[in-house]
Amino acid sequence: MLTKAPRGTKDLFGNEVLEWRRVEQKILDVCKDFGFQEIRTPIFEHTDLFQRGVGETTDIVQKEMYTFEDKGGRSITLKPEGTAGVARAYIEHNMQAEAQPTKLFYLIPAFRYERPQAGRMRQFHQFGIEMFGSSEATADAEVISLASILLKRLGIINVELHINSLGGPECRKKYNEVLKAYLNEHLAEFCSTCQERYEKNPLRVLDCKTEKCQALVSQAPSILDTLGEECKNHFEQLQSLLTEMNIPFVVDPNIVRGLDYYTRTVFEFISNDIGSQGTVCGGGRYDKLVEECGGKPTPAVGFAIGLERLLMVMEAEQGAYIHEPKRDLFIGAIGDTAIKTAHALVYELRKVGISAEGDHLNRSVRAQMKYANKIGATYSMILGEEELQTGKATLKNMINGEQEDLTLEQLVMVMQEKVK
Ligand code: HAM
């Protein structure tokens, strides 16, 4: 137990964490280009927020939340997703008083007690964006286009954008009746989970992954046929905006999403390269959530990308990304005084932003040079008795073997020139 991380969690280190950093940097760049600003909300919130926001009938709230009572007797939940916390912060800090829309992004760990498998973890990470204050389809298109550009910049090609509209509360009510009538005819043929869903939230039956249910669902009436005039126009407008932007999509009436707050647009970017958990990005419009959480009526739209899945897709498509270790200079030393001088020089170099490294294992000169190679040092230098006496040493270029003599006083300046 002591030497194993909890089930459904993962340590990130070495090459992998460097790759995460590279992806995170691309995320920061794209958010800057689109004018989204970072928000950091607490890792836990009051449980009510998710019950109310994500929805009582969802798997997340019913089965998957990490909920506990704190020492003050409050019910607290580790964030299972990012949207509800951001909506809470939007209300709490009266962000609607600023120029609208409010455009926010976050990079967070999220927690769901799910059955772990490839692409499904108990602690996972999301990059999400939320855009508050506009009900126009241009906002939906902007949010989708950000995801699309990010995937492009990461070199991902094999993902498909699926879009659907769940309509407003009126259209949904109407569709629930039509859908229930259809499901009722075939109820015995559906899996037990779907039979339960039929009662509590029939829409979610469309989301079932079992083959038999999927076959039945493919014959079900489409939600798009029950959309009211305004919702229909909104969805059509979104489609023409995406077409204008040259973002390919398929209309998929079976995209219903696993959270209750959605109204109108819902969408997913799906990859076929990483098995059954192929939804890399999921999002949509949620025009009632802010009000539901106690704020003024505020339309909003957003998405979240699962970083683990994103990296799985990248690896499946492009192979593992290798980050070679790199240092500007390794200064080795032999003898007590030289060791002190070497470490003092390393410190001076680091002060001016040069990535220098010294030896910490009292290795032989040969072993120190081997180490310099391993850590990818571009230059190396070894200090001994003679170098201390003359105040001069040899700087070796580890790539082409060239050597130059210089005084120790010159080292910082020379290195600054070289790494410029
Ligand atoms: P979600 O579909 O529940 O939506 O999650 C978004 C993404 O997070 C998924 O597409 C997937 O990539 C990743 N994800 C979810 N659960 C797991 C898991 N157990 N392990 C690994 N990755 C996972 C939301 O969370 C909404 N808040 C998205 C949103 C933002 N809608 C509007 N704004």
Side-chain angles (χ1 to χ4, degrees), residues 205-256:
V205 173
L206 301 182
D207 203 23
C208 187
K209 298 286 181 277
T210 20
E211 236 173 77
K212 201 165 160 215
C213 297
Q214 272 190 353
L216 288 165
V217 151
S218 67
Q219 308 296 318
S222 164
I223 191 162
L224 297 173
D225 296 333
T226 42
L227 291 187
E229 206 51 32
E230 273 181 50
C231 291
K232 210 168 170 172
N233 285 343
H234 193 272
F235 192 45
E236 273 163 15
Q237 226 182 325
L238 170 64
Q239 292 178 58
S240 59
L241 280 161
L242 292 175
T243 307
E244 190 73 22
M245 288 169 160
N246 249 326
I247 298 175
F249 62 87
V250 288
V251 173
D252 178 351
N254 288 343
I255 297 286
V256 292

Side-chain angles (χ1 to χ4, degrees), residues 129 139-145 147-148 160-166 235 238 242 249-250 252 255-257 262 264-270 279 281-285 301-305:
I129 69 168
D140 307 48
E142 177 157 325
V143 160
I144 292 174
S145 70
S148 165
E160 210 168 55
L161 168 62
H162 292 228
I163 63 170
N164 187 23
S165 176
L166 301 180
F235 192 45
L238 170 64
L242 292 175
F249 62 87
V250 288
D252 178 351
I255 297 286
V256 292
R257 313 275 303 119
Y262 293 111
R264 295 193 170 173
T265 310
V266 283
F267 63 91
E268 290 182 354
F269 283 84
I270 302 171
T279 304
C281 170
R285 178 164 279 289
V301 57
F303 71 70
I305 290 180

Side-chain angles (χ1 to χ4, degrees), residues 81 83 112 114 119 121 126 130 257 261-262 279-280 302 306:
E81 58 98 57
T83 311
R112 295 184 193 174
E114 293 198 80
M121 321 264 304
Q126 287 187 338
E130 313 295 350
R257 313 275 303 119
Y261 45 60
Y262 293 111
T279 304
V280 179

Side-chain angles (χ1 to χ4, degrees), residues 187-198 208 210 213:
L187 204 53
E189 297 163 66
F190 278 95
C191 72
S192 56
T193 319
C194 280
Q195 292 184 10
E196 250 174 67
R197 286 170 174 158
Y198 165 83
C208 187
T210 20
C213 297

Side-chain angles (χ1 to χ4, degrees), residues 1-149:
M1 278 298 256
L2 282 181
T3 53
K4 229 172 163 10
R7 198 163 130 75
T9 70
K10 187 172 174 314
D11 299 313
L12 280 177
F13 59 96
N15 198 59
E16 208 175 353
V17 83
L18 292 174
E19 182 57 357
W20 275 64
R21 285 268 181 208
R22 188 176 76 89
V23 170
E24 283 165 4
Q25 188 55 53
K26 297 261 183 205
I27 288 172
L28 299 185
D29 292 345
V30 83
C31 285
K32 182 167 160 281
D33 295 346
F34 274 75
F36 279 77
Q37 290 188 338
E38 185 169 7
I39 179 161
R40 300 189 187 195
T41 62
I43 222 159
F44 57 82
E45 297 273 358
H46 292 118
T47 303
D48 302 352
L49 178 68
F50 302 114
Q51 283 170 339
R52 186 74 80 82
V54 174
E56 293 283 6
T57 65
T58 59
D59 282 353
I60 296 180
V61 169
Q62 284 186 349
K63 305 185 229 167
E64 298 170 359
M65 294 206 300
Y66 278 87
T67 298
F68 59 95
E69 199 171 276
D70 72 7
K71 293 200 190 320
R74 303 168 195 87
S75 181
I76 294 292
T77 295
L78 301 184
K79 275 200 283 229
E81 58 98 57
T83 311
V86 174
R88 194 262 313 133
Y90 177 83
I91 302 165
E92 183 168 346
H93 306 293
N94 198 23
M95 292 187 200
Q96 88 213 8
E98 296 159 19
Q100 295 298 289
T102 297
K103 294 161 60 167
L104 301 168
F105 83 88
Y106 49 87
L107 279 159
I108 54 162
F111 306 85
R112 295 184 193 174
Y113 191 77
E114 293 198 80
R115 202 163 37 79
Q117 65 180 82
R120 196 160 71 190
M121 321 264 304
R122 289 183 175 166
Q123 177 177 339
F124 58 101
H125 297 79
Q126 287 187 338
F127 155 56
I129 69 168
E130 313 295 350
M131 184 164 171
F132 296 92
S134 168
S135 57
E136 297 299 316
T138 50
D140 307 48
E142 177 157 325
V143 160
I144 292 174
S145 70
L146 189 150
S148 165
I149 288 197

